[in-house]
Amino acid sequence: MAGQADSPQRGEFELIARILAPLTGGDARALGLTDDAAVLSQKTGTDTVVSTDTLVAGVHFLMSENPDVIARRLLRVNLSDVAAMGAQPAGYFLNLTLPAATESDWLERFASGLAEDQGEFGVTLLGGDTTHTTGPLTLSATMFGEVPSGAAVRRSTATPGDIVFVSGTIGDAGLGLSRLLENCSTNDALVRRYQLPTPRVELGMALRGIANAMADVSDGLVADLGHICEASG
């Protein structure tokens, strides 16, 4: 996770060593975040599932939100994509594009959120990149998962007559965002549903060989069901 040489205030290598390296938990694949890449051994009989998502300040989150909550949402949207293919999360890469005014305290609280969800979902940081920008804070994570060879559940394998099931409650996150924009308390149940979506990791793995097709609902029920129908013809 070597940083680029464009740091106006804090050195990337200090940021990596002090705040990010502890998130590897000593995982040998990360090589201590001292190299330009991680080394991932491929397990026999296993396929690797990879998903990436980016969150931009003012578009996908508010800077008034707590940094630890933003960090956990970043992990969870990626975990949800991996879960939707029936995969077991195995680790992630993190890219931070930071405005010069980003405070050390903000980064430390952000890292504490990552650590909390790493413990809950059994993943560790494996690498990534840090750089600076004159634009908005931009956060990107790439999640790796593992699934038995050929067992990943895809969008394109639905069949006529399939019954459509949904886990959770559709619409909670949309209502939560509306309430957050109205300055509703972050302790509000709907706001929490928006800020901390629940990736269905265990359910996704349990549905391997049962569900014909799966997708996570990120664009809304009609849109995402439409994606499955289109991909499946």
Side-chain angles (χ1 to χ4, degrees), residues 178-231:
S178 297
R179 292 174 70 84
L180 182 64
L181 293 173
E182 294 168 358
N183 297 316
C184 188
S185 168
T186 55
N187 290 324
D188 180 86
L190 290 173
V191 172
R192 297 293 287 179
R193 287 281 290 150
Y194 163 71
Q195 291 187 317
L196 294 175
T198 303
R200 312 292 179 176
V201 175
E202 296 297 330
L203 178 60
M205 291 189 290
L207 288 174
R208 289 195 303 242
I210 298 174
N212 285 338
M214 292 197 298
D216 77 327
V217 181
S218 55
D219 296 328
L221 176 61
V222 173
D224 285 309
L225 182 57
H227 296 156
I228 291 177
C229 292
E230 182 178 359

Side-chain angles (χ1 to χ4, degrees), residues 25 35 82 84-85 91 93 119 137 147 160 173 182 192 210 213 220:
D35 280 85
V82 170
M85 299 194 77
F93 287 75
L137 174 66
V147 64
E182 294 168 358
R192 297 293 287 179
I210 298 174

Side-chain angles (χ1 to χ4, degrees), residues 4 6 11 14 21 52 56 60 63 67 79 97 108 114 116 120 123 136 141 146 153 160 164 193 196 210 220 231:
Q4 298 178 7
D6 63 347
E14 181 203 348
T52 189
V56 179
H60 303 103
M63 286 304 297
L79 285 162
T97 304
E108 290 170 358
L114 294 177
E116 183 172 352
E120 180 170 347
V123 294
E146 296 172 343
V153 185
V164 177
R193 287 281 290 150
L196 294 175
I210 298 174

Side-chain angles (χ1 to χ4, degrees), residues 29 40-51 82 85-93 126 142-152:
R29 298 173 297 174
L40 310 181
S41 299
Q42 199 67 30
K43 295 181 181 178
T44 302
T46 300
D47 290 335
T48 300
V49 174
V50 184
S51 176
V82 170
M85 299 194 77
Q88 170 72 56
Y92 71 99
F93 287 75
L126 300 178
T142 300
M143 185 69 61
F144 286 76
E146 296 172 343
V147 64
S149 294

Side-chain angles (χ1 to χ4, degrees), residues 9 31 38 43 59 74 97 107 110-111 121 145 179-180 193:
Q9 289 190 341
L31 305 177
K43 295 181 181 178
V59 179
L74 177 64
T97 304
L107 291 168
F110 179 83
F121 295 103
R179 292 174 70 84
L180 182 64
R193 287 281 290 150

Side-chain angles (χ1 to χ4, degrees), residues 163-184:
I163 301 172
V164 177
F165 293 90
V166 178
S167 65
T169 307
I170 297 297
D172 281 357
L175 291 171
L177 175 58
S178 297
R179 292 174 70 84
L180 182 64
L181 293 173
E182 294 168 358
N183 297 316
C184 188

Side-chain angles (χ1 to χ4, degrees), residues 73-161:
R73 188 187 314 151
L74 177 64
L75 283 190
R76 289 174 181 227
V77 296
N78 281 276
L79 285 162
S80 185
D81 286 336
V82 170
M85 299 194 77
Q88 170 72 56
Y92 71 99
F93 287 75
L94 176 69
N95 291 334
L96 303 177
T97 304
L98 307 170
T102 307
E103 298 285 344
S104 175
D105 177 66
W106 193 97
L107 291 168
E108 290 170 358
R109 292 166 64 195
F110 179 83
S112 72
L114 294 177
E116 183 172 352
D117 267 12
Q118 284 186 190
E120 180 170 347
F121 295 103
V123 294
T124 54
L125 178 64
L126 300 178
D129 186 40
T130 60
T131 189
H132 287 77
T133 181
T134 56
L137 174 66
T138 303
L139 312 166
S140 179
T142 300
M143 185 69 61
F144 286 76
E146 296 172 343
V147 64
S149 294
V153 185
R154 300 168 57 189
R155 292 182 176 185
S156 60
T157 45
T159 62

